């Protein structure tokens, strides 16, 4: 196991700006998509809980850019668990361009902090991270400092 959950993506024209490089907001969208695919593939019981009472609020996102990417670049968005608290999680994301010859280039790095909440929209309160979610994330705990 590689220690990360991977979402693969091919950049489309609609994700680029007039200059031809990827518009920054797409990096944040890909974080969300990676998180969603993780839930679908590794923690489907949490999806049922989201239909009921659980809410996952994104509190903070960031992204640091190292290189440009353009349409039709092949990407691997790699999610790791950085921190697991009682009611909050922090994910780390590496954005890697996959070269046709098999090489990889780190193009960006991001983070996302998420709070677990429950209750009706007018009275939502913090809630413990659901046990099925914590279990599903265990293999992806970042155990070493990223360079």
């Amino acid at each position: 196991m590689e220690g990360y959950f991977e979402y693969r993506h091919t950049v489309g024209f609609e994700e680029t700006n007039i200059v031809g490089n990827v518009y920054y907001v797409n990096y944040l969208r890909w974080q969300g998509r990676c998180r969603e695919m993780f839930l679908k593939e590794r923690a489907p019981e949490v999806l049922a809980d989201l239909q009921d009472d659980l809410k996952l609020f994104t509190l903070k996102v960031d992204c640091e850019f190292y290189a440009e990417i353009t349409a039709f670049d092949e990407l691997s968005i790699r999610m790791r668990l950085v921190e697991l608290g009682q009611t909050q999680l922090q994910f780390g994301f590496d954005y890697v361009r996959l070269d046709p010859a098999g090489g990889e280039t780190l193009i960006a790095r991001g983070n996302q902090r998420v709070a677990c909440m429950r209750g009706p929209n007018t009275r939502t309160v913090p809630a413990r991270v659901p046990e099925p979610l914590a279990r599903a994330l265990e293999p992806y705990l970042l155990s070493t400092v990223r360079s």
Side-chain angles (χ1 to χ4, degrees):
M1 167 159 292
E2 293 154 329
Y4 55 80
F5 176 80
E6 180 180 50
Y7 165 66
R8 293 254 178 135
H9 182 75
T10 302
V11 176
F13 284 128
E14 75 278 2
E15 297 170 309
T16 62
N17 59 26
I18 198 163
V19 178
N21 54 3
V22 170
Y23 191 59
Y24 74 92
V25 74
N26 289 297
Y27 290 83
L28 304 182
R29 288 181 50 239
W30 299 333
Q31 282 187 20
R33 184 71 173 163
C34 186
R35 190 177 82 183
E36 291 168 1
M37 291 299 100
F38 169 81
L39 292 173
K40 179 181 182 245
E41 294 176 24
R42 303 283 190 240
E45 57 272 39
V46 176
L47 290 177
D49 203 4
L50 285 167
Q51 294 296 315
D52 185 26
D53 192 29
L54 178 65
K55 295 168 181 64
L56 298 178
F57 286 176
T58 303
L59 303 175
K60 178 182 179 184
V61 295
D62 66 54
C63 193
E64 203 174 340
F65 306 99
Y66 306 127
E68 296 287 341
I69 53 175
T70 60
F72 304 111
D73 279 343
E74 298 286 336
L75 302 179
S76 168
I77 294 91
R78 299 172 179 174
M79 182 181 82
R80 292 181 175 88
L81 177 65
V82 175
E83 180 185 333
L84 174 62
Q86 289 187 5
T87 63
Q88 293 185 14
L89 308 154
Q90 183 168 328
F91 299 107
F93 295 87
D94 286 345
Y95 301 79
V96 178
R97 181 177 40 233
L98 304 173
D99 302 318
E104 298 184 349
T105 305
L106 180 66
I107 56 157
R109 185 168 278 156
N111 285 286
Q112 188 177 108
R113 181 162 283 284
V114 176
C116 296
M117 308 287 276
R118 291 194 183 271
N121 288 338
T122 57
R123 293 189 318 266
T124 304
V125 296
R128 286 195 169 275
V129 173
E131 187 57 37
L133 180 56
R135 269 195 320 273
L137 286 166
E138 281 177 9
Y140 307 105
L141 179 60
L142 181 63
S143 58
T144 60
V145 175
R146 294 185 296 176
S147 59

